[in-house]
Amino acid sequence: MAEIIQRDGTWVFDGDALRLTPGRDRNVGLLRKELGELAVPLRALAGVSLEQGKKAGRLRLRLRDGADPLLQATGGKLGEPNDPYQLTVEADRFGVAEYFVDEVRNALLLDEVPAGPVDGYLLPGPGVPLSASAGDGTATFDGESVRLDWNWKTEEAKSAAGARTLALGDITAVEWHPAVGLENGCLRFSVRGAETKAPPKYDPNSVELWGFKKDPLMALIAAAVQARLPHPAVSVAEEAAPPAAGAGAGAGAGAGRAAIPAPASEADHDALLRRLRELGELRREGVLTEEEFALAKQAVLKRL
């Protein structure tokens, strides 16, 4: 087991999962405090790194695309105090942090965890019911519907119709954007049959955010809803699926060829080549050292 304890939080790795617990330091963001302890399975990780500075450093986890509904809904735009996958490390603990990184990297290699995207969420997302107030409204999610209530700061054109209730089955997408510079952020829901390009200030399916301390709490609502929507990989797979037999005049021969499964040996060969490419990417990104890359590459080549 590897463990590192800092004022910013505590990370523990037991070989199968990482447990990330936020600290009580005043610099820890509200979102991390509300999330509490996170259990991240090893198979959800794409890599881990340590960035060293003169006075402090930072541990960073990189998750596989599509593994976490929070990252899916926020697009990786969570700031440093609220990002649960960063940990500030004091300079005198760099040795412990390096050992932690080595333990996680070795486990990723031994378990042959791929760095590519996943086709289903590996983290559950925030629990419900859940409510947050920020910007021009309050968003509440009970697992079946989202309710948007407006406050006195809401634009009259948006608040005139009163509170909004959006059934989960009618929501096609959700996204959270932070306020950046002079541009306001938002929690926005895309609703089937009510598509709009109106700015959040006037969109009745959006909460406008102005860059205040509680804005990241709206990301929890976004993540909880995202976790209950179809995984993005599902829609991609549906779009890429070949047409059914007889669906078109010229589809027969092409569809027949696509339906013939590849021989097992060929499939294994392609999988090993993909593994080599993934290892190369991990080396370029600094996740693997040259020695770790050489050992892993040799193991793959023996199986070719």
Side-chain angles (χ1 to χ4, degrees), residues 176-200:
W176 175 87
H177 296 283
V180 179
L182 298 177
E183 185 177 348
N184 290 336
C186 69
L187 168 68
R188 185 191 293 274
F189 298 95
S190 298
V191 180
R192 187 177 291 104
E195 293 78 8
T196 178
K197 294 183 179 180

Side-chain angles (χ1 to χ4, degrees), residues 129 160 302:
K302 286 181 179 179

Side-chain angles (χ1 to χ4, degrees), residues 99-160:
Y99 172 75
F100 188 93
V101 168
D102 288 342
E103 288 293 294
V104 176
R105 285 180 176 175
N106 290 338
L108 288 170
L109 283 173
L110 289 173
D111 285 20
E112 297 186 344
V113 177
V118 298
D119 57 6
Y121 293 122
L122 300 179
L123 281 88
V128 294
L130 194 60
S131 184
S133 297
D136 67 353
T138 297
T140 304
F141 180 51
D142 62 5
E144 297 181 356
S145 63
V146 174
R147 180 182 170 91
L148 303 178
D149 291 284
W150 312 117
N151 56 39
W152 63 274
K153 295 171 284 187
T154 309
E155 182 69 24
E156 185 176 355
K158 184 164 77 171
S159 64

Side-chain angles (χ1 to χ4, degrees), residues 22-267:
R24 297 183 178 180
D25 190 74
R26 63 181 180 178
N27 294 323
V28 176
L30 286 177
L31 184 142
R32 286 180 61 197
K33 291 178 180 178
E34 287 295 322
L35 275 176
E37 183 180 273
L38 280 180
V40 183
L42 181 66
R43 65 183 186 280
L45 288 184
V48 58
S49 62
L50 171 64
E51 302 168 0
Q52 296 187 18
K54 291 183 178 179
K55 295 183 178 180
R58 191 172 308 282
L59 274 173
R60 291 182 188 270
L61 293 180
R62 185 166 59 87
L63 271 63
R64 299 169 65 187
D65 288 344
D68 181 19
L70 175 63
L71 295 182
Q72 187 69 38
T74 60
K77 297 174 183 176
L78 287 172
E80 178 185 318
N82 293 291
D83 187 346
Y85 303 117
Q86 297 185 36
L87 182 71
T88 300
V89 179
E90 297 167 10
D92 61 353
R93 304 298 286 172
F94 283 171
V96 177
E98 288 173 347
Y99 172 75
F100 188 93
V101 168
D102 288 342
E103 288 293 294
V104 176
R105 285 180 176 175
N106 290 338
L108 288 170
L109 283 173
L110 289 173
D111 285 20
E112 297 186 344
V113 177
V118 298
D119 57 6
Y121 293 122
L122 300 179
L123 281 88
V128 294
L130 194 60
S131 184
S133 297
D136 67 353
T138 297
T140 304
F141 180 51
D142 62 5
E144 297 181 356
S145 63
V146 174
R147 180 182 170 91
L148 303 178
D149 291 284
W150 312 117
N151 56 39
W152 63 274
K153 295 171 284 187
T154 309
E155 182 69 24
E156 185 176 355
K158 184 164 77 171
S159 64
R164 298 277 293 173
T165 299
L166 311 175
L168 182 62
D170 293 331
I171 298 174
T172 58
V174 58
E175 53 189 328
W176 175 87
H177 296 283
V180 179
L182 298 177
E183 185 177 348
N184 290 336
C186 69
L187 168 68
R188 185 191 293 274
F189 298 95
S190 298
V191 180
R192 187 177 291 104
E195 293 78 8
T196 178
K197 294 183 179 180
K201 183 175 183 178
Y202 302 103
D203 180 5
N205 298 324
S206 297
V207 176
E208 187 180 33
L209 304 175
W210 300 317
F212 296 128
K213 187 177 180 179
K214 291 186 177 181
D215 285 9
L217 296 180
M218 286 293 183
L220 295 176
I221 302 288
V225 172
Q226 184 71 59
R228 291 160 177 80
L229 294 178
H231 191 274
V234 174
S235 58
V236 173
E238 289 175 350
E239 292 175 2
R257 285 194 297 270
I260 298 174
S265 59
E266 182 180 342

